[in-house]
Amino acid sequence: MVSQLSEAVLDVIADALVDKGYILLSDIIPDNVSLALIEKMQAKQNIEFKSAAIGRGSEQQVNTQIRSDKISWLDKQDVIDNQYLSIMEQLKNGLNRRLFMGLFDYESHYAVYQPGAYYQKHLDALKGSQNRILTTVFFLNPNWQAENGGQLVIYDEDDSVITTVQPELGTLAIFLSERFPHEVLPTLVPRNSIAGWFRVSHANHGF
Ligand code: OGA
Ligand code: MN
């Protein structure tokens, strides 16, 4: 069964992106989908995690000073991954209809932050690069305790903290990739998330 994002929820998200450039949501991904994603992450034999790299193309390198999570890319062909990806597809279409964002594709990875892991403050897209436009982070940790660390801290353009997000199961953060520096504070216990990015097609930009 394909879960549907309501028009009302899409309106709320679109309005928030126009007004503030970000939104935090809970309860838009159905519990049965979240639980299947958690189970998949926990069934380590089904999913192979690699040290995450930074940079793009030939510039890519693993730098554990900056980030020390382990990742695995979602795949449309996988039945469970596709439940999440099809909701993101609805989000893409809903935002394109409302805001003419020209979002074209979506790439996303599972990330495991083992105890001690973090991701230092960074931007997901270089200003003006028009590659990653909109970031999503979905959290998969039931009963997260604040003392576990592992919060996602989102900063404003002037580096003041806008919000500190507990990586609690069911929370989805959505923000403009070029605008908001953010970081993952060191976690004390294993922390699971799915980070993803909507991109525009370079075909629309003279390449
Ligand atoms: C990223 C990122 C945050 C998270 O992968 O770029 O910022 O909470 N992830 O997984
Ligand atoms: Mn990021």
Side-chain angles (χ1 to χ4, degrees), residues 51-63:
S51 288
I54 50 174
R56 292 198 71 77
S58 58
E59 315 261 281
Q60 274 213 356
Q61 48 176 293
V62 171
N63 183 338

Side-chain angles (χ1 to χ4, degrees), residues 119 122 124 182 197:
Y119 193 160
H122 64 281
D124 287 342
H182 53 283
W197 301 271

Side-chain angles (χ1 to χ4, degrees), residues 67 109 113 119 122 124 137 139 152 182 184 191 193 195 197:
R67 67 186 295 189
H109 61 55
Y113 290 73
Y119 193 160
H122 64 281
D124 287 342
V137 188
F139 299 109
L152 174 69
H182 53 283
V184 178
R191 171 200 191 272
S193 59
W197 301 271

